[in-house]
Amino acid sequence: MPIYSYTTIDSKGVSRQGQSEAVSEQALEDMLKRRGLLLASVTEQKAIKLPTVKETDGPPRVGKIPRRDLVEFFLQLGIQLRAGVPMVTAIGYGAKECSNPAFRRVQQYLLNRLNNGSPLSEAMQEFPDAFEPVVFNLVRAGEKSGQLGEMCGDIRRHYEWQERMAGDRSEEQTS
């Protein structure tokens, strides 16, 4: 299904931008009208092309992922989900932009699992070296509650806290 970026105007004349999946521009416009919004402009986004990781090959073996990469992943995922970007699009964009080749393979695998109907939390469990059990359990809670975008912010703060604690320990050892 195509993804559209759009600008709307509400009944008070306030302009807002958004992004959504829709069958067609007309379907998007109809959906926005039901919300009381007038479609001012719309552009179809180019599909994100990624090399595929075959699910039948099993999850790629990647080992531990640096905390900084996980902080960035959950920061971007949370922002995009709260903005209404579909999860598949958000993770696809993250995989495309990821500079760590191992973590890019993880994200591509997660994307394939999502496209095949698996929940994100279930797909993450296949990477115990990359995602701690507390993380995929928090993701599962976010999926069930409909608050995954907010939960990604909590997970990001968790990793940032771990990063600070690890930094404090290394400073103590050098003193």
Side-chain angles (χ1 to χ4, degrees):
M1 194 173 333
I3 297 170
Y4 296 96
S5 291
Y6 57 84
T7 303
T8 61
I9 299 173
D10 66 15
S11 61
K12 295 178 184 175
V14 177
S15 168
R16 295 219 167 102
Q17 294 183 338
Q19 196 172 47
S20 183
E21 282 184 310
V23 176
S24 66
E25 283 186 32
Q26 186 60 50
L28 175 67
E29 186 172 9
D30 293 343
M31 176 190 69
L32 294 170
K33 274 184 186 175
R34 286 191 297 274
R35 295 182 187 169
L37 301 170
L38 177 64
L39 185 61
S41 67
V42 63
T43 55
E44 185 175 345
Q45 298 299 301
K46 292 182 180 176
I48 297 171
K49 300 277 188 198
L50 293 171
T52 59
V53 175
K54 293 180 185 169
E55 209 173 321
T56 55
D57 294 344
R61 293 197 173 117
V62 294
K64 193 140 178 74
I65 301 296
R67 277 191 205 103
R68 184 66 358 220
D69 290 341
L70 293 166
V71 166
E72 185 65 25
F73 173 76
F74 284 106
L75 170 68
Q76 294 302 321
L77 183 59
I79 289 170
Q80 291 182 59
L81 292 175
R82 286 190 305 272
V85 175
M87 187 182 336
V88 171
T89 304
I91 291 178
Y93 181 75
K96 181 180 170 194
E97 296 297 315
C98 185
S99 60
N100 178 333
F103 195 38
R104 184 179 315 117
R105 287 192 306 276
V106 168
Q107 291 178 61
Q108 290 167 340
Y109 187 81
L110 294 175
L111 185 61
N112 284 348
R113 291 292 309 272
L114 289 170
N115 281 327
N116 289 326
S118 295
L120 180 60
S121 57
E122 186 180 295
M124 285 179 158
Q125 284 181 300
E126 296 187 49
F127 297 97
D129 293 337
F131 303 107
E132 304 167 30
V134 69
V135 170
F136 49 76
N137 286 321
L138 287 169
V139 169
R140 181 179 298 118
E143 290 169 332
K144 290 185 184 273
S145 67
Q147 300 295 314
L148 185 55
E150 290 76 9
M151 195 62 72
C152 286
D154 294 340
I155 295 167
R156 174 189 53 85
R157 285 186 290 280
H158 167 74
Y159 280 123
E160 287 174 333
W161 173 80
Q162 283 186 335
E163 208 170 49
R164 283 192 306 276
M165 292 297 106
D168 289 346
R169 273 188 249 123
S170 66
E171 287 175 15
E172 289 172 8
Q173 291 173 357
T174 58
S175 302

